[in-house]
């Protein structure tokens, strides 16, 4: 399923690639309130595709709407500037069939038009998160939604993407909640997603929301000590500019909601996932800049 907003031509290209896959997946597109004719153009060119007009920009929550339209056991997510390689979806289904405690598989990401791997791939491949021996790939503590296949039942049981987070780092909260419920997430090398980054994006706004969401996740699910350390690290390393200040103010405005909904993850889960703190500190692929 695909979420899109104000990218008609890119959405059309994405859907065209998906309907041409040999797996012939059922394609659902959630249009997050575009005013450029995206929904109508997709319906006209691809009448077999289920188009949901959300009416407003729901961000990542649009994926929740798409999942509800499907009754398949697994759902492959796509952004309007990503697409799956032929054979990857059938391979994902086979792996999920064989591993009923795996909730989600994250694919390898290839950047187009260069064909190079996205820098984040090395972090996924070398994930420090410990996992059971039976996992088909490295265990993960989070994922990239536009390059993942999810078990629909697990996704719905966890509540999907949280409506407060909108878009930008929304995966971390869902990942922690899945793992806290006993599910596993992993990277699978032989799944491939292609990403041609859209030029139609507001990088500054995305940084503001992403930083806010990181702070919210940290205080919703981390114990006090790690939450303080993560907050201090962010304060020291993010750009000292208006965008970072606005993100901090946005996060502070949610204080009442945070206090009412704070539920630190179980200590065994914290112990397992805290190894990601060092990886995130050293990451060159994840930076709050823009």
């Amino acid at each position: 399923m695909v979420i899109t907003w104000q990218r008609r031509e890119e959405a059309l290209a994405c859907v065209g690639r998906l309907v041409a896959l040999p797996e012939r997946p059922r394609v659902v597109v959630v249009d997050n309130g575009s005013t450029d004719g995206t929904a109508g153009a997709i319906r006209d060119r691809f009448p077999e595709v289920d188009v949901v007009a959300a009416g407003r920009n729901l961000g990542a929550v649009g994926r929740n709407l798409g999942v509800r339209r499907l009754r398949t056991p697994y759902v492959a997510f796509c952004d309007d500037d990503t697409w799956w390689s032929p054979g990857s979806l059938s391979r994902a289904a086979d792996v999920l069939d064989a591993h009923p405690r795996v909730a989600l598989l994250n694919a390898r990401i290839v950047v187009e038009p260069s064909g190079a791997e996205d820098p984040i791939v090395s972090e996924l491949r070398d994930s420090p998160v410990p996992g059971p021996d039976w996992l088909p790939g490295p265990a993960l503590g989070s994922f990239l939604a536009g390059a993942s296949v999810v078990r629909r039942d697990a996704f719905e049981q966890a509540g999907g993407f949280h409506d407060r987070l909108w878009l930008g780092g929304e995966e971390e909260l869902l990942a922690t909640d899945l793992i806290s419920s006993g599910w596993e997430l992993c990277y699978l090398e032989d799944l491939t997603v292609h990403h041609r980054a859209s030029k139609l994006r507001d990088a500054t706004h995305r940084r503001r929301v992403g930083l806010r969401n990181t702070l919210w996740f940290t205080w919703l699910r981390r114990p006090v000590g790690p939450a303080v350390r993560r907050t201090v690290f962010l304060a020291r390393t993010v750009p000292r500019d208006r965008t970072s200040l606005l993100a901090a103010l946005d996060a502070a405005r949610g204080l009442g909601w945070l206090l009412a909904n704070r539920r630190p993850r179980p200590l065994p889960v914290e112990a397992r996932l805290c190894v990601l703190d060092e990886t995130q500190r050293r990451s060159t692929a994840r930076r709050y800049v823009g």
Side-chain angles (χ1 to χ4, degrees):
M1 68 129 318
V2 183
I3 56 171
T4 186
W5 182 71
Q6 300 290 70
R7 297 179 184 172
R8 182 179 62 187
E9 297 309 314
E10 287 164 300
L12 286 168
C14 169
V15 173
R17 293 183 177 105
L18 296 179
V19 299
L21 288 173
E23 294 95 331
R24 293 292 186 265
R26 180 183 172 194
V27 178
V28 176
V29 177
V30 176
D31 177 40
N32 274 325
S34 299
T35 58
D36 63 354
T38 296
I42 295 173
R43 289 190 182 106
D44 290 344
R45 190 174 301 181
F46 304 104
E48 71 274 29
V49 170
D50 184 4
V51 180
V52 181
R56 61 189 178 91
N57 193 349
L58 300 175
V61 181
R63 297 189 188 108
N64 297 353
L65 298 183
V67 170
R68 291 181 198 135
R69 300 292 278 254
L70 294 163
R71 302 319 308 162
T72 54
Y74 315 124
V75 178
F77 291 131
C78 243
D79 294 334
D80 49 21
D81 58 359
T82 66
W83 64 93
W84 289 87
S85 280
S88 288
L89 297 185
S90 57
R91 171 63 177 152
D94 290 343
V95 171
L96 289 169
D97 282 347
H99 299 87
R101 294 310 302 166
V102 173
L104 183 143
L105 300 171
N106 201 122
R108 186 173 69 99
I109 304 167
V110 174
V111 178
E112 300 297 351
S114 71
E117 285 188 347
D118 189 292
I120 198 69
V121 170
S122 62
E123 295 184 20
L124 300 172
R125 186 181 288 130
D126 299 328
S127 170
V129 175
D133 293 340
W134 53 261
L135 272 181
L140 300 178
S142 190
F143 62 99
L144 291 97
S148 61
V149 180
V150 66
R151 190 179 299 274
R152 183 174 55 82
D153 287 349
F155 179 87
E156 292 182 332
Q157 288 167 16
F161 292 102
H162 200 291
D163 57 1
R164 286 291 295 256
L165 302 189
W166 191 66
L167 185 69
E170 71 277 3
E171 299 96 338
E172 199 167 17
L173 180 60
L174 176 58
T176 276
D177 288 349
L178 285 167
I179 294 168
S180 297
S181 296
W183 294 100
E184 295 289 342
L185 288 63
C186 78
Y187 168 73
L188 199 62
E189 181 79 14
D190 49 353
L191 307 183
T192 301
V193 161
H194 301 267
H195 181 209
R196 186 187 294 267
S198 174
K199 296 179 181 179
L200 302 174
R201 64 173 63 208
D202 184 343
T204 299
H205 181 63
R206 289 288 292 271
R207 174 160 69 91
R208 175 178 172 178
V209 176
L211 179 53
R212 180 203 67 182
N213 287 350
T214 294
L215 290 167
W216 276 355
F217 162 75
T218 297
W219 287 97
L220 281 170
R221 292 292 183 267
R222 303 292 302 271
V224 171
V228 169
R229 289 191 291 273
R230 178 65 172 158
T231 303
V232 170
F233 170 76
L234 291 171
R236 288 175 175 171
T237 58
V238 299
R240 297 179 180 274
D241 60 9
R242 182 174 184 271
T243 300
S244 296
L245 175 61
L246 290 173
L249 292 174
D250 292 342
R253 291 188 188 100
L255 181 60
W257 168 70
L258 285 175
L259 292 175
N261 291 276
R262 177 171 162 76
R263 191 173 73 249
R265 57 199 185 190
L267 290 179
V269 175
E270 174 64 27
R272 183 180 177 196
L273 299 186
C274 70
V275 295
L276 289 172
D277 289 346
E278 181 59 29
T279 300
Q280 291 170 350
R281 281 192 289 268
R282 292 185 286 103
S283 175
T284 59
R286 290 179 275 197
R287 285 284 184 266
Y288 291 106
V289 297

